[in-house]
Amino acid sequence: MTLKNIADALGITAYPEILDRLTADPSIPDASVINLPLIHSLQKEYDLFGDYYDAVLQGAEDLERDSLRRSWGDAVCRCLPYLSYTERRAVPIPATDKTPAGDMLPLLMLIPLVPSSVEAYRSHGFSEEEIRQLLASYAGAIRTVHNRTGRPGYDKTYYNWMKLYANTRIFLFGGFNFEIKTMPDNVLVLQNRESGALMPLLHQNKIHKSGLILGSAGCKDSDGAFDIAVREDENAYRG
């Protein structure tokens, strides 16, 4: 059965075209969305699922009996290492009568990305404790669904949110979540002569009327946008 056949049977009308090419490539090794050794390993090393470990195992057992959704999950997990962040975000979750309560397929599709994201966070200089705090968000998403619906599970919202963690695009600081973004090309970085502190200043950029960079989320309209630049005089740099 081709991926297109599986998608049609599940009512999926759109997905990244690259999935068809990858699933038809015999050089790409098979993968399973129900990877129990990996699930056990991540729980043992990071307590990834917290109090919901048994619920995750039950979700995996339930998925074993849902051949179509499991086939979709297997195909996605096989392709994930070859997808860009944007392509990963575009992969849909097949509907189920359990969504979101009781459904663990979205989580199981993310689990294969956890080891590589841990290594990526390490390469960025995050400590083991900081990484564990980041990984606690996986169980936190299950808990939120449980509190909202009465049953532990995962839904599309948390599937998309946790992709930020899986792709090392988010970190925690002072109780806030920060998404890592590419800085604009024109940035002037100044260093204080006495303290050594660094101060980045945007230079020759277009700014939305709200004060955020034009093109940021929710700041697409150019009405009222203005240009900014850093100017130097004999006493200081001024924005």
Side-chain angles (χ1 to χ4, degrees):
M1 183 179 288
T2 67
L3 185 67
K4 180 67 164 57
N5 296 145
I6 297 171
D8 289 343
L10 289 169
I12 295 173
T13 58
Y15 57 87
E17 293 182 3
I18 191 175
L19 293 182
D20 286 320
R21 299 196 299 273
L22 292 174
T23 52
D25 187 341
S27 68
I28 296 178
D30 290 335
S32 175
V33 70
I34 303 176
N35 189 335
L36 293 180
L38 180 58
I39 291 172
H40 298 324
S41 173
L42 293 173
Q43 177 66 14
K44 181 179 181 180
E45 186 167 2
Y46 300 108
D47 193 28
L48 187 70
F49 313 106
D51 296 336
Y52 293 101
Y53 183 43
D54 289 339
V56 172
L57 294 178
Q58 182 61 56
E61 183 178 327
D62 292 343
L63 187 60
E64 286 272 18
R65 296 188 289 270
D66 193 339
S67 59
L68 273 176
R69 295 180 85 241
R70 174 173 182 173
S71 294
W72 177 262
D74 288 345
V76 170
C77 288
R78 184 178 175 221
C79 299
L80 280 176
Y82 308 93
L83 300 180
S84 68
Y85 171 68
T86 301
E87 290 164 342
R88 287 175 179 177
R89 284 188 64 85
V91 173
I93 299 294
T96 173
D97 57 3
K98 293 181 179 179
T99 299
D103 184 30
M104 289 294 176
L105 176 59
L107 171 62
L108 295 171
M109 287 168 58
L110 291 173
I111 286 175
L113 298 174
V114 173
S116 61
S117 68
V118 168
E119 290 305 316
Y121 277 118
R122 283 178 181 151
S123 72
H124 288 312
F126 286 84
S127 69
E128 294 302 306
E129 179 58 31
E130 288 168 335
I131 291 172
R132 290 181 71 90
Q133 291 174 2
L134 288 161
L135 295 179
S137 297
Y138 284 88
I142 303 174
R143 184 178 302 107
T144 301
V145 172
H146 188 190
N147 291 340
R148 193 175 74 239
T149 67
R151 292 185 64 192
Y154 241 67
D155 63 12
K156 183 178 179 180
T157 298
Y158 292 110
Y159 170 68
N160 288 327
W161 176 247
M162 293 309 299
K163 282 180 184 175
L164 294 171
Y165 291 83
N167 288 275
T168 329
R169 296 176 65 96
I170 201 167
F171 65 95
L172 309 177
F173 182 76
F176 292 93
N177 294 301
F178 290 86
E179 184 177 352
I180 299 171
K181 293 284 191 178
T182 301
M183 289 288 287
D185 293 334
N186 299 322
V187 179
L188 180 68
V189 181
L190 305 179
Q191 184 174 40
N192 187 289
R193 292 194 187 104
E194 296 181 0
S195 69
L198 299 177
M199 174 63 68
L201 300 173
L202 293 176
H203 179 56
Q204 295 179 343
N205 279 272
K206 182 75 74 173
I207 300 298
H208 185 261
K209 60 187 176 184
S210 66
L212 299 176
I213 298 172
L214 185 66
S216 302
C219 303
K220 306 292 186 181
D221 61 297
S222 59
D223 183 34
F226 55 94
D227 294 311
I228 61 168
V230 177
R231 295 177 175 84
E232 178 186 5
D233 59 32
E234 58 185 25
N235 296 312
Y237 289 93
R238 302 183 187 281

